[in-house]
Amino acid sequence: MRFEALMAKLPRSWRIPLRAGRWQGRGLFGALALLAACGVILLAVLADWAALLHLRLMAVSPWLALLWMPAGFALSSWLSLRIFAGTQGSGVPQTVAAALDHGVHMPGFRAALGKLLLTPLAMLWGAAAGREGPSIFLGAAIMQGGARWSYLRHAASPRQLLVAGGAIGVAAAFNTPLAGIMFAIEELSRKRSFNANATTLMAVVLAGLASTALLGNYLYFGRSAATLAVFSELDALLLCGIVGGLAGGLFSRAAINVERLLPVRLRSLRAGRPMYFASACGLCAALLGLASGGLTWGTGYEEARQAVTSAASMPLYYSPLKMLSLLITFASSIPAGIFAPSLAIGAGLSGFVEFLCPGSTLGALALLCMAAYLGGLTQAPITSFVVVLEMSSNQQLMIPLILAATLGHVAARASGAEPVFYGLARRLPLPSGSP
């Protein structure tokens, strides 16, 4: 006799609500979440290897960048246009647009594979790029790609799968599960009710388990013990929040309006011959790296980590040059993220704050400027301070980080800047036939 028939003979109050499709769907959801988490972890490993290879190549001769970067940018552009369509940029705007029903649909498994392969290439060329945004895209594309399976629809709707996939990307990329949940609420559910709580929580738990099993329970920046007295160092805290927020808002405006900032001829080249334009961007990025002694190449992770854990002072010109290099990479439209370089830009602003407010702990200023910069860039203050808090495990800075992220958010809004991912999502071209 079938199990359902046996259950029917029990009193109604004893029955367990069990449907085969629902439980099979939940099992499939768990397997898909683990697959997405493993994909994000694989992307992290490949990106780290690619960044190391670039460092070794530049150790032979930095002048190789004048050939290496233009050719690499052109190759990445060609692959993203001809082989892996839909993989340009970081992928977060596409994820946000799909989550908010802006008429944009997430690409499928092919685009996810393209993101997995092409993002490390950007690190190999030495672009100012990160893997965290592509990780969000990768997780969301894998999860929503499973919506075609009927059993999975018993466990979650396509939008819930997408939101859960984005949360997996943040949680597994940074080893920050709480930040993954907050990203799902603030970014992927902006102006909408958050109705994917159970699926998102389960997806983040599975991503955390996979990350811990494969990479260990690591901290992105290592453990920080830096402190800041809120009342006696209020001037430094306010300066971190305002400067970081205005800088984040400035980059957001530049990224959203990058097409308008280009001269007419470059605008035509970008639209008509994107590979030539990407190659020109690679040449500009190479020249900027040579002028800065290599500081603008790569993710900026090492510079940010040293500022946080070793209190290593960063030159005042670091953040402006890194911001310019990141904008060049963004304009080229090669598959690359902006999250990790944004953390480095925020950390670099600590040198400016320390110059104006000497005596404060540089490691604390770096973390506060990061939170403020992210708060201004994304205008998601809760996600911003949670990301920085979980990456450094510095509970003593919780209140200052909350204040810095909030000040950054307020300063960016006061300057008229849009949230970068939301602004880019609204400007994505709609597919043919969309209203």
Side-chain angles (χ1 to χ4, degrees), residues 24-39 142-143 149 152 168 202 206:
Q24 288 177 356
R26 289 174 180 173
L28 187 58
F29 174 86
L32 196 62
L34 286 174
L35 175 64
C38 290
I142 291 176
M143 290 298 291
W149 300 325
L152 197 55
I168 288 173
M202 180 56 65
L206 293 172

Side-chain angles (χ1 to χ4, degrees), residues 7 22 25 57 71-72 95 99 109 144 164 166 190 210 214 219 230 255 272 274 279 283 288 352 377 401 408 414:
M7 293 294 297
R22 177 184 298 176
L57 181 65
T95 307
F109 291 126
Q144 200 183 46
R190 187 183 294 267
L214 296 175
L219 292 174
V230 176
S279 181
L283 179 60
L288 192 60
F352 176 74
L377 180 70
L401 285 172

Side-chain angles (χ1 to χ4, degrees), residues 100 159 185-193 422 426:
L100 300 180
R159 181 176 177 274
I185 295 173
E186 281 196 301
E187 288 287 357
L188 300 183
S189 301
R190 187 183 294 267
K191 298 181 180 179
R192 289 183 60 120
S193 60
Y422 182 70
R426 291 198 305 107

Side-chain angles (χ1 to χ4, degrees), residues 209-423:
L209 290 174
S211 178
T212 303
L214 296 175
L215 300 179
N217 192 19
Y218 70 96
L219 292 174
Y220 192 82
F221 284 131
R223 194 172 302 276
S224 168
T227 60
L228 183 136
V230 176
F231 296 106
S232 61
E233 299 180 83
L234 185 60
D235 55 344
L237 175 56
L238 293 176
L239 197 58
C240 286
I242 295 172
V243 171
L246 291 176
L250 176 64
F251 184 83
S252 175
R253 297 178 74 165
I256 292 171
N257 299 291
V258 67
E259 191 78 21
R260 300 178 186 176
L261 297 177
L262 293 173
V264 176
R265 289 186 178 180
L266 288 180
R267 203 180 304 169
S268 301
L269 182 65
R270 186 173 188 253
R273 296 191 172 183
M275 287 177 288
Y276 288 95
F277 180 80
S279 181
C281 288
L283 179 60
C284 292
L287 292 171
L288 192 60
L290 289 171
S292 65
L295 283 177
T296 61
W297 290 332
T299 64
Y301 165 77
E302 190 59 33
E303 291 83 1
R305 188 189 65 80
Q306 289 181 5
V308 171
T309 60
S310 305
S313 182
M314 303 174 75
L316 296 179
Y317 59 80
Y318 176 81
S319 288
L321 292 185
K322 191 70 175 179
M323 191 182 297
L324 179 59
S325 181
L326 179 57
L327 188 63
I328 290 172
T329 301
F330 175 82
S332 70
S333 297
I334 65 172
I338 66 172
F339 219 101
S342 296
L343 292 173
I345 293 169
L349 293 173
S350 62
F352 176 74
V353 176
E354 185 194 29
F355 177 77
L356 296 179
C357 301
S360 298
T361 305
L362 185 61
L365 296 180
L367 291 173
L368 294 175
C369 287
M370 278 187 205
Y373 185 86
L374 289 179
L377 180 70
T378 64
Q379 295 190 31
I382 302 177
T383 303
S384 300
F385 95 79
V386 169
V387 164
V388 176
L389 183 65
E390 286 193 289
M391 286 191 304
S392 61
S393 188
N394 192 330
Q395 301 295 326
Q396 299 178 62
L397 278 181
M398 179 180 292
I399 298 301
L401 285 172
I402 294 174
L403 291 174
T406 304
L407 282 172
H409 167 64
V410 172
R413 288 198 65 179
S415 70
E418 279 188 276
V420 63
F421 297 132
Y422 182 70

Side-chain angles (χ1 to χ4, degrees), residues 93-107 144 162 424-431 434:
Q94 292 93 323
T95 307
V96 171
L100 300 180
D101 295 334
H102 283 183
V104 177
H105 303 288
M106 285 294 294
Q144 200 183 46
L162 186 146
L424 291 171
R426 291 198 305 107
R427 288 163 174 77
L428 287 174
L430 294 175
S434 298

